[in-house]
Amino acid sequence: MSTLDAMTIAALAEHIENAELQRRAIPKITDEYPDMDWDDAYAIQYAIRARKLGRGHRLAGLKMGLTSRAKMKQMGVETPVYGFLADYMAQPDGAEIAIDALVHPRVEAEIAFVTKAELKGPGCHIGTVLAATDFVIPAVEVIDSRYENFRFDLKSVIADNTSSARFVCGGRIAAPAAVDVRNLGVVMEKNGEVVETGAGAAVLGHPAASVAMLANMLGARGESIPAGTFIMTGGITAAVAVARGDAITVRYQDLGSVSMHFV
Ligand code: 0L1
Ligand code: MG
């Protein structure tokens, strides 16, 4: 049940997307629309997605956010959320990422899944997800909330496509049966110093549970996750702020590493 009319949703989508494209921080939208609900928030996010696809961008994948205690505590929120990834957000391993195109980026270590069969909730769980997984791959997300000082609530962050900005895949892929993603260790280094460590279980107890939650949340809207979808499951660690000149390397147990440099 939305509370906002179609014109307001379209105007808020344009407002938030412009903040992204013009690299401008804005106040959280619930300051002006305190009564907006979850449906409004996702309607704004889907309107941003339609704007990007309408300009010729392609969908590169889906993401879950706020799936770990570390992230929820860091941001003062309690519920996982989902968003989308667009083609221009994908950067190669070792990329030089232009800081000028971003507002106040932070990086988080994640594990991504690529599906080989459709997943449709309700009723998805770790078992159905692993059976539908082609491979898992190390992935580091660069988030960049468009809200001033990363101060937001859940509805504002959903509308802002869960702070999606860039992502980098790397290392080695593995079949789900070949790697224990629940116990998989990760070490994040910034400029050669260890800044965060964690294991896959930080993500809802098992990263596949994050994919299951996504399928069930989409299922409630009558949507599914198609075969061949790339899905980021959420930060294993708290997000680490980066500035021009910073080098980030995340080492994944048995799966190699992912690096990037902010210029
Ligand atoms: O990927 C994420 O966990 C992002 C969630 C949005 C909140 C944030 O900007 O940290
Ligand atoms: Mg993330």
Side-chain angles (χ1 to χ4, degrees):
M1 252 292 286
S2 295
T3 67
L4 301 179
D5 60 39
M7 263 178 63
T8 308
I9 287 181
L12 285 169
E14 183 176 7
H15 174 61
I16 297 171
E17 202 204 10
N18 280 346
E20 177 206 341
L21 299 178
Q22 296 162 11
R23 193 212 175 215
R24 213 162 27 81
I26 55 175
K28 63 183 185 341
I29 56 170
T30 47
D31 290 351
E32 201 173 337
Y33 296 94
D35 296 329
M36 64 178 272
D37 64 17
W38 303 98
D39 288 342
D40 293 320
Y42 277 110
I44 295 165
Q45 182 192 121
Y46 275 73
I48 292 175
R49 175 165 151 174
R51 288 174 65 83
K52 291 188 188 303
L53 298 185
R55 287 201 304 276
H57 286 302
R58 307 208 29 191
L59 199 62
L62 298 173
K63 63 166 274 193
M64 286 291 279
L66 304 171
T67 47
S68 74
R69 280 275 133 225
K71 276 288 305 192
M72 289 188 208
K73 190 158 167 246
Q74 182 180 32
M75 305 320 300
V77 293
E78 291 278 322
T79 314
V81 293
Y82 66 86
F84 69 89
L85 301 164
D87 51 5
Y88 68 91
M89 299 176 184
Q91 302 287 311
D93 192 13
E96 296 202 328
I97 297 181
I99 211 106
D100 278 350
L102 303 168
V103 185
H104 39 205
R106 297 178 175 183
V107 294
E108 44 191 34
E110 307 202 10
I111 294 168
F113 283 54
V114 175
T115 57
K116 62 181 177 188
E118 185 189 36
L119 277 167
K120 189 163 173 51
C124 287
H125 52 78
I126 292 173
T128 46
V129 169
L130 292 175
T133 298
D134 193 358
F135 58 86
V136 297
I137 182 169
V140 175
E141 183 174 24
V142 181
I143 51 168
D144 191 33
S145 174
R146 270 54 71 164
Y147 298 119
E148 290 164 345
N149 303 316
F150 265 86
R151 275 217 311 275
F152 49 64
D153 48 31
L154 274 179
K155 290 170 194 163
S156 296
V157 84
I158 290 165
D160 182 28
N161 189 24
T162 64
S163 310
S164 304
R166 302 285 183 270
F167 65 94
V168 182
C169 290
R172 285 187 284 282
I173 67 168
V179 62
D180 178 5
V181 284
R182 185 171 184 278
N183 290 311
L184 189 93
V186 304
V187 176
M188 183 188 287
E189 295 171 9
K190 178 171 153 181
N191 303 326
E193 304 261 323
V194 173
V195 286
E196 290 286 340
T197 60
V203 178
L204 296 175
H206 192 303
S210 173
V211 180
M213 183 180 275
L214 175 62
N216 293 331
M217 288 167 95
L218 291 175
R221 301 175 58 101
E223 296 172 18
S224 64
I225 302 176
T229 302
F230 171 80
I231 304 154
M232 298 196 61
T233 54
I236 292 168
T237 59
V240 171
V242 286
R244 181 175 283 116
D246 284 340
I248 295 287
T249 296
V250 183
R251 302 183 194 283
Y252 290 76
Q253 184 182 359
D254 300 332
L255 294 183
S257 62
V258 178
S259 298
M260 68 207 69
H261 186 199
F262 290 85
V263 296

